[in-house]
Amino acid sequence: MAWRIGKRTPRGRRLLRDTRGSAAVEFAMLAPAFFGLLFSMFEIGITYTADALLQDAINDTARMIRTGQAQGAGMTRQQFRDEVCDRVDVLLACDQRLQIDVRTFNRFANAQFEDPLDGNGNFRDDFRYAPGTACSIVVVRGFYAWSPITPGLGEFMATMSGGEHLIQVTAAIRNEPYASGQSGCASLG
């Protein structure tokens, strides 16, 4: 015996009027978009937090250069990097994903530097540590290869090889006239 279900049969009319389970079907249709949006907002928030943390660390350590503390202590590139690491280790790993570039310029207008990434999307290998002397113009840049936490977002956020996102922060400063006998920096660039 064949069952006929259609609009004209009583069983078909009952089936079309039945709304049980419609909420589950609607949720199943909307859930992927909802959770995708939710996780995207989480990812953007954590990325901005990492950016702010790195910016704060670069600003703090750049102040050590500006006031002459780094130069007076004979701070090396690794020691300066360790100072940055002490300020970011709450959220960021202090490994090869963290790179720091400190360069000195004679005028703010001359402060030009290249992209931190090579043609393959990896970090360049020519970062410097040149904190300058009193009244020098110094640009401190920090870079971090952020790996997105949310699966599937890496391809949308990727700016580096391996699906990583480049976080880049900068502090441009003029060193204070911390050298003895120097009265100011007004005559410089």
Side-chain angles (χ1 to χ4, degrees), residues 5-18:
I5 298 178
K7 291 184 192 178
R8 298 177 191 222
T9 65
R11 180 177 278 239
R13 282 191 295 267
R14 255 194 338 248
L15 185 63
L16 290 174
R17 285 185 307 206
D18 191 2

Side-chain angles (χ1 to χ4, degrees), residues 5 25 44 49 58-59 61 69 95 100 106 113 119 127 130 136 177 181 183:
I5 298 178
V25 171
I44 290 169
T49 302
I58 292 296
N59 288 345
T61 52
Q69 294 172 9
D95 54 16
I100 299 167
N106 58 358
F113 27 79
F127 295 125
S136 295
S183 62

Side-chain angles (χ1 to χ4, degrees), residues 43-66:
E43 187 69 50
I44 290 169
I46 195 85
T47 303
Y48 280 139
T49 302
D51 183 89
L53 183 67
L54 184 57
Q55 182 68 63
D56 188 53
I58 292 296
N59 288 345
D60 285 351
T61 52
R63 179 156 175 70
M64 295 176 70
I65 292 174
R66 181 179 184 182

